[in-house]
Amino acid sequence: MKLVKQEILHKTGEGFAIMKPEEPEDMWHAYNLIRPNDLLRASAVRKVITESAGSGSRSNERVHTTLTIRVTKLDFDPQAGQLHVSGRVAEENPIVKLGGYHTLDLELQRNFTLEKSEGWDSVAIATLKEACDNDAKAQLWAVIMKEGLANICLVTDHQTILKQKIEYSLPRKRAGSTDHEKSMQKFFHTTYDSLLRHIDLANPKPLLLASPAFTAWQFQQYIKAQAAVSTDKRVKDLLPKITVAQSASGHLHSLNEVLSSPAVTSKLSDTKFARETQLVDKFFELMRHEDNRAWYGPRESEKAVEQGAVGKGGGVLLISNGLFRSQDIGVRDRWVKCVDAVREQGGEVRVLSSMHESGRRLESLGGVAVILTYPMEDLDELGEGEVEEEQPESEDEDEHGANGHSHGVEGRRDHEEDIDFL
């Protein structure tokens, strides 16, 4: 994501940012930044119907224009990397009536302007910084497989995207028959061709092969054999980037286990998702040891933060980004304050993506957990006047979209103090 221009007031958070998506991953950042009731300005194509005054005949044409809408609904397709934002027209336009409905399709290499109705809080600003930090976009390709099944997926800092699933029927192994081995070679050939269609050989990323038994190792040998006879020298450049690991199964959910293995994390230790996977594993390890340094749930986590137990010296707040897409502004504000408090105490904050396995594991615990700097007991007991609360509302129940309504005031004051990311 390229930050073209921004005018955000440090004290109030009011203002706007102009951004240009440069790759499909940027649509994920836009999805996390744009909220219902925000003002979004982008280019649009609108069908205009005109009627001849003399003959009464009607004609229509598609007209390019720029629209500003107040967002009501978002629809994100992670596999296609497409983001559709619906809302009501909020500024006068000669083509579309004020208050009319329109859906903006955000496109690569086209600017859009975003103004937050409730102001840019610390989480939104951090998301904007991260989106525009090109050095933080480390990624790798992974093939989670077993005999007759291969899941080709792209793992980025923010998403795990299944690009293609390959299923191949294999005959049983029989004494004196080579049918199984021949079918395995055809299966490897299909998987290899599919993988090359997705990978950019001009700039290859690390490739992780994982399977139970020896399937991944055999596939690595197949790639080496193909590279030896290939006229494309770039295939040979891919070989040093291949890592083979063991997995419990050939299904996609085994990716989380593979990413947390020492053989893999040693090669990916500088990536964001590797660090998050390690922290989630550490949390569950502390839970198993029952030493009262690992707690999960909204009330328990907030209590620990309020008492300064998630600060400097190993304190970590793990929180799902789905909480910051809640339809309820109060829910979002609640967790923004919690994040700010941990950072002020010197603790580490990790906002986990709901589209990573580590984020999905966290959501099963209510979307928020803490690792304390020292053990604490009875955080789960209700205090005087406290009542049991429901799980925090998250919009990630539907991973392909988000919608809802929020209320607030918009506005942009004259310049006070600007936040400059450029």
Side-chain angles (χ1 to χ4, degrees), residues 279-352:
L279 287 173
V280 172
D281 286 344
K282 178 181 178 181
F283 172 83
F284 280 102
E285 184 68 22
L286 291 172
M287 286 283 292
R288 284 191 289 270
H289 291 160
E290 297 184 351
D291 68 350
N292 292 322
R293 285 182 55 215
W295 290 87
Y296 66 90
R299 185 181 65 254
E300 294 84 349
S301 300
E302 278 189 312
K303 279 185 177 181
V305 173
E306 290 171 358
Q307 297 182 40
V310 195
K312 189 176 181 180
V316 181
L317 170 66
L318 302 171
I319 187 166
S320 169
N321 63 359
L323 295 177
F324 300 109
R325 290 199 298 270
S326 173
Q327 299 179 18
D328 186 344
I329 294 177
V331 171
R332 179 183 174 90
D333 289 345
R334 171 187 182 183
W335 296 113
V336 168
K337 291 177 182 178
C338 188
V339 166
D340 291 343
V342 172
R343 286 173 175 160
E344 289 174 0
Q345 296 169 15
E348 181 177 359
V349 176
R350 287 285 172 170
V351 181
L352 273 60

Side-chain angles (χ1 to χ4, degrees), residues 52-220:
S52 175
S55 62
S57 61
R58 305 178 69 185
S59 62
N60 62 76
E61 61 177 334
R62 301 180 70 82
V63 178
H64 289 267
T65 185
T66 299
L67 291 180
T68 301
I69 65 171
R70 183 169 297 283
V71 178
T72 59
K73 180 181 178 181
L74 296 96
D75 181 14
F76 176 62
D77 183 347
Q79 291 192 341
Q82 296 177 345
L83 178 60
H84 313 287
V85 186
S86 303
R88 307 187 73 165
V89 177
E91 291 185 0
E92 292 284 353
N93 187 282
I95 298 175
V96 188
K97 294 181 179 179
L98 189 67
Y101 283 94
H102 187 85
T103 297
L104 293 173
D105 300 323
L106 297 190
E107 302 177 14
L108 298 180
Q109 307 303 326
R110 288 186 179 272
N111 295 355
F112 69 87
T113 303
L114 179 64
E115 182 176 342
K116 308 293 290 181
S117 62
E118 294 296 316
W120 292 78
D121 55 44
S122 61
V123 172
I125 290 175
T127 303
L128 179 61
K129 286 182 177 179
E130 187 176 12
C132 300
D133 182 6
N134 291 323
D135 293 335
K137 295 181 179 178
Q139 56 183 240
L140 67 95
W141 287 94
V143 182
I144 310 300
M145 62 195 312
K146 64 178 183 178
E147 291 190 355
L149 173 66
N151 294 283
I152 300 175
C153 50
L154 175 65
V155 185
T156 74
D157 281 345
H158 308 280
Q159 304 178 77
T160 300
I161 306 171
L162 178 62
K163 287 294 188 177
Q164 189 170 351
K165 183 177 182 180
I166 300 168
E167 294 180 289
Y168 200 93
S169 179
L170 299 174
R172 293 184 179 181
K173 294 181 179 179
R174 302 180 188 276
S177 173
T178 60
D179 290 347
H180 181 83
E181 288 73 16
K182 290 179 179 178
S183 295
M184 280 295 293
Q185 290 300 304
K186 292 180 180 178
F187 166 62
F188 286 151
H189 177 73
T190 302
T191 305
Y192 175 75
D193 285 348
S194 301
L195 183 62
L196 290 189
R197 283 197 295 269
H198 291 293
I199 290 179
D200 179 12
L201 290 177
N203 183 28
K205 302 296 182 182
L207 173 60
L208 173 65
L209 308 178
S211 74
F214 300 103
T215 307
W217 179 82
Q218 292 171 342
F219 185 49
Q220 181 192 33

Side-chain angles (χ1 to χ4, degrees), residues 374-385:
Y374 54 86
M376 294 185 69
E377 297 182 355
D378 305 327
L379 287 177
D380 53 349
E381 292 186 0
L382 294 175
E384 184 177 352

Side-chain angles (χ1 to χ4, degrees), residues 249-267:
S249 75
H251 298 283
L252 191 58
H253 62 76
S254 295
L255 179 61
N256 180 72
E257 169 205 351
V258 176
L259 290 176
S260 63
S261 65
V264 176
T265 54
S266 63
K267 295 189 177 184

